């Protein structure tokens, strides 16, 4: 008998109600809704307290979460009903909970409640960055994330890894903390690219794209200094930079550059609220995606760019090699002269470096959701 599937959609519902555009983690959650929603029940949780929605409310909630024009009030009603109905704890035979965000995984009572319902919790681990690189995160996040990871190591029935690099980081943390590793599977994430006709070019002249929330580890400040130097060297002939992503945390120095650096006015374009259609239009015509991060758990923008046959210049990170092999041009994230020279080369209309990468891109094998869920389904089978 196939296991009963439960999907924790708390983060998706919360962001939907705030009308926030989906992040990379949200896109993964939506992919799970599309894959399992027709036979799943929804779970709502807060600080470790949880409730399971009825079949009817679950189906309505899944439909609203995947809708382009969701009804926030109806989602609130479902959540309220779930909380009221969740007081009496139902028991389910052979249940598997799939939880694709880190929200709430630090609470022991969440696992205990699932155990009483006879549901085995399986979490996705996206990264251990707050533990390995706490300096790039908000104060206190490292302690919270350590509690999440350690609690999951102790009590989860299984863990899904988005990359071998994340798996290796988790194994190192488990060894360091003298904790056992539960059953795990590595299932790489699809790019999420939806095939669309070639859009109209959004900007005249050569331009590059940075994609991701503005936060310290993404290295925006460094790249803006590179761009100021480009303007100094090339003047009006300097290529443009499109920064796509909302402003995050501890990025005041980046905001100062964006708002107060006169030489970047009209050359650096900030797109904080970019629709999928706009994003793909920008990517399709870019000279390259620039991905100078100090650390990543996966790197969805890299897979998205290469899936669209757009070159990438990226930091020399292990996980990027795992996703893209030797296709991108790799640089140290602090190699200012190297980035400057490579960007100038790629901006040239007859760039041999860019043409060489376009040839390499032809052998890029895009991870697919079909492959991801094939790994997950086999993993679920081993758990029951």
């Amino acid at each position: 008998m196939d296991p009963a599937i439960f999907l924790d959609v708390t983060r998706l519902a919360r962001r939907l109600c705030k009308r926030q555009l989906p992040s990379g983690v949200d896109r993964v959650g939506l992919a799970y809704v599309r894959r399992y929603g027709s036979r799943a029940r929804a779970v709502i949780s807060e600080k470790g307290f949880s409730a399971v929605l009825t079949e009817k409310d679950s189906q309505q909630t899944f439909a609203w979460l995947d809708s382009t024009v969701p009804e926030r009030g109806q989602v609130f009603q479902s959540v309220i009903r779930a909380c009221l109905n969740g007081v009496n704890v139902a028991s389910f035979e052979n249940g598997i909970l799939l939880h694709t965000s880190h929200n709430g995984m630090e609470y022991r009572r969440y696992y205990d409640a699932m155990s009483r319902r006879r549901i085995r919790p399986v979490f996705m681990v996206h990264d251990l960055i707050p533990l390995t690189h706490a300096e790039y995160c908000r104060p206190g996040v490292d302690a919270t994330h350590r509690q999440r990871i350690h609690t999951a190591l102790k009590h989860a029935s299984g863990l899904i890894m988005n990359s071998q690099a994340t798996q290796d980081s988790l194994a190192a943390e488990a060894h360091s903390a003298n904790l056992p590793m539960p059953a795990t599977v590595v299932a790489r994430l699809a790019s999420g690219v939806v095939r669309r006709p070639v859009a109209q070019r959004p900007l005249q002249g050569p331009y590059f794209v940075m994609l991701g929330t503005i936060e310290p580890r993404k290295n925006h400040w460094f790249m803006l200094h590179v761009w100021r130097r480009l303007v100094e060297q090339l003047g009006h002939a300097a290529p443009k930079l499109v920064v796509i992503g909302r402003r995050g945390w501890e990025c005041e120095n980046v905001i100062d550059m964006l708002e107060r650096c006169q030489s970047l006015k009209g050359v650096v374009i900030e797109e904080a609220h970019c629709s999928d259609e706009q994003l793909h239009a920008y990517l399709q015509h870019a000279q390259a995606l620039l991905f100078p991060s100090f650390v990543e758990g996966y790197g969805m923008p890299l897979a998205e760019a290469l899936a669209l046959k757009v070159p990438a210049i990226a930091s020399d990170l292990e996980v990027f090699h795992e996703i893209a092999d030797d296709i991108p041009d790799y640089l140290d994230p602090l190699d200012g002269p190297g980035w400057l020279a490579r960007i100038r080369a790629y901006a040239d209309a007859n760039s041999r470096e860019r043409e060489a990468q376009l040839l390499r891109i032809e052998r890029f094998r895009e991870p697919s959701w079909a492959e991801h869920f094939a790994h997950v389904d086999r993993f679920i089978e081993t758990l029951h």
Side-chain angles (χ1 to χ4, degrees), residues 200-230:
Q200 183 177 352
R201 187 179 181 89
L203 296 173
Q204 296 303 311
Y207 67 89
F208 295 78
V209 168
M210 282 189 74
L211 175 58
T213 301
I214 298 175
E215 54 174 299
R217 68 183 175 89
K218 299 291 187 179
N219 212 9
H220 288 82
W221 191 66
F222 165 85
M223 192 55 62
L224 292 178
H225 280 280
V226 169
W227 233 264
R228 182 162 63 178
R229 182 60 57 85
L230 277 170

Side-chain angles (χ1 to χ4, degrees), residues 247-265:
R247 296 179 179 184
W249 50 92
E250 298 193 356
C251 59
E252 291 81 5
N253 52 358
V254 176
I255 295 172
D256 287 342
M257 290 285 287
L258 289 170
E259 295 183 349
R260 295 163 54 189
C261 183
Q262 288 301 315
S263 60
L264 298 182
K265 298 294 184 184

Side-chain angles (χ1 to χ4, degrees), residues 58-90:
S58 294
Q59 292 305 307
Q60 288 181 335
T61 300
F62 293 148
W64 292 323
L65 290 173
D66 200 26
S67 170
T68 55
V69 188
E71 292 292 337
R72 292 191 296 171
Q74 293 173 315
V75 175
F76 275 127
Q77 291 174 18
S78 284
V79 171
I80 292 170
R81 282 197 296 270
C83 293
L84 292 175
N85 294 334
V87 174
N88 58 343
V89 180

Side-chain angles (χ1 to χ4, degrees), residues 81-100:
R81 282 197 296 270
C83 293
L84 292 175
N85 294 334
V87 174
N88 58 343
V89 180
S91 179
F92 302 91
E93 187 69 29
N94 196 28
I96 296 287
L97 169 78
L98 297 175
H99 193 312
T100 58

